[in-house]
Each structure stands twice: as structure tokens, then as C-alpha cells.
Amino acid sequence: NVGFYERLQEKIPDLSGADLKLCALIKLNFSGKEMAYLLGISLGSVHVARHRLRKKMDLNRDVNLTNFINSI
């Protein structure tokens, strides 16, 4: 996806490298288990990372993170 990182950093400038990687995996529709395997972390850690990403993006609970990232 050309320009995805640039658009993402324009919208939310304070994302870390790990956050960007997680966003890319979410955009590619990877499951939590697949993300955990690729990143070398537990499934629980993926859930925590997604939660922290939602907080950084200031998203309400009723906004779907996957849909939000796919719209960027």
C-alpha cells in the first residue's frame, strides 16, 4: 500500500516504530495469533499493544480499530 506509513504519520504523528508495524499487520488483516507469531510475542501482548494503539489514536470503544486503519 503506497504511502500508508506517510498518511498514518500525518494523521497520528506520535506513533512508534512498533506501532507502525502493528498498524501494517492490522491493515493486512492478520489475526491476533499471526501477529503474535510474527512479532515473537504472546497473544495477550498483542491485545495490550492494540489497546495502547487505540489510546494513542484516541479512539472510542465503539470505533473498530481495523476499519479505522483500513480507511487511512
Side-chain angles (χ1 to χ4, degrees):
N1 233 329
V2 179
F4 172 68
Y5 283 130
E6 290 81 17
R7 290 191 307 272
L8 188 59
Q9 287 184 316
E10 264 180 35
K11 206 162 195 169
I12 304 110
D14 60 337
L15 293 178
S16 68
D19 294 333
L20 293 172
K21 189 182 291 187
L22 185 63
C23 288
L25 293 175
I26 291 170
K27 183 143 179 97
L28 293 170
N29 292 321
F30 277 66
S31 71
K33 285 183 180 181
E34 291 169 327
M35 287 184 226
Y37 177 76
L38 281 172
L39 299 173
I41 59 177
S42 70
L43 182 57
S45 297
V46 171
H47 292 305
V48 170
R50 286 175 59 103
H51 177 73
R52 289 183 177 150
L53 187 59
R54 291 179 68 85
K55 285 179 77 171
K56 279 188 181 181
M57 293 181 168
D58 197 29
L59 296 177
N60 294 327
R61 289 188 58 83
D62 58 335
V63 176
N64 186 310
L65 180 63
T66 304
N67 291 342
F68 178 77
I69 290 175
N70 283 332
S71 71
I72 296 176

